[in-house]
Amino acid sequence: MPFVVTENCIRCKYTDCVEVCPVDCFHEGPNFLVIDPEECIDCTLCEPECPAKAIFPEDDVPAGQEGYIALNAELSKEWPVITTRKDPLPDAADWDGKTGKLGELKR
């Protein structure tokens, strides 16, 4: 069962999670990260590293955010792999915890 990056990552894009991934399954977009479900080995290392608490096992994605399962699969085919930590977006702290951010997602 792969892990999924959900809404709270949008406009935050903390990258603490990518450094611990042993299989490089994270992909980076302009203001969001996704996990390639075909590469994820369910190691659980990324979930506790996410300061935004935006990573969940596929079966535990919060209610109303199930669409992020397909979104991770789709965008992981389009976006490049990211393997090293970067600074979060400049206004990440302002966006952390806000809801209804899907419209803010940049592709």
Side-chain angles (χ1 to χ4, degrees):
M1 169 182 48
F3 279 73
V4 177
V5 181
T6 59
E7 178 177 56
N8 205 40
C9 182
I10 298 172
R11 297 216 47 180
C12 292
K13 199 171 85 169
Y14 294 101
T15 57
D16 306 63
C17 51
V18 303
E19 282 192 323
V20 299
C21 181
V23 294
D24 301 336
C25 67
F26 281 89
H27 293 253
E28 178 185 26
N31 68 349
F32 186 53
L33 298 175
V34 295
I35 294 173
D36 182 340
E38 304 218 0
E39 293 293 324
C40 181
I41 59 170
D42 191 28
C43 70
T44 74
L45 294 174
C46 62
E47 184 181 21
E49 295 300 318
C50 179
K53 307 293 184 230
I55 301 174
F56 296 89
E58 185 176 313
D59 289 348
D60 294 334
V61 168
Q65 295 193 46
E66 297 87 355
Y68 285 89
I69 297 169
L71 189 62
N72 274 245
E74 173 193 341
L75 296 176
S76 66
K77 291 177 180 11
E78 299 174 15
W79 290 347
V81 171
I82 177 173
T83 59
T84 56
R85 187 180 179 283
K86 297 179 179 180
D87 289 336
L89 296 175
D91 58 351
D94 296 334
W95 286 93
D96 190 2
K98 291 193 177 187
T99 58
K101 298 194 293 185
L102 186 58
E104 297 290 327
L105 176 66
K106 293 181 183 175
R107 293 176 177 249

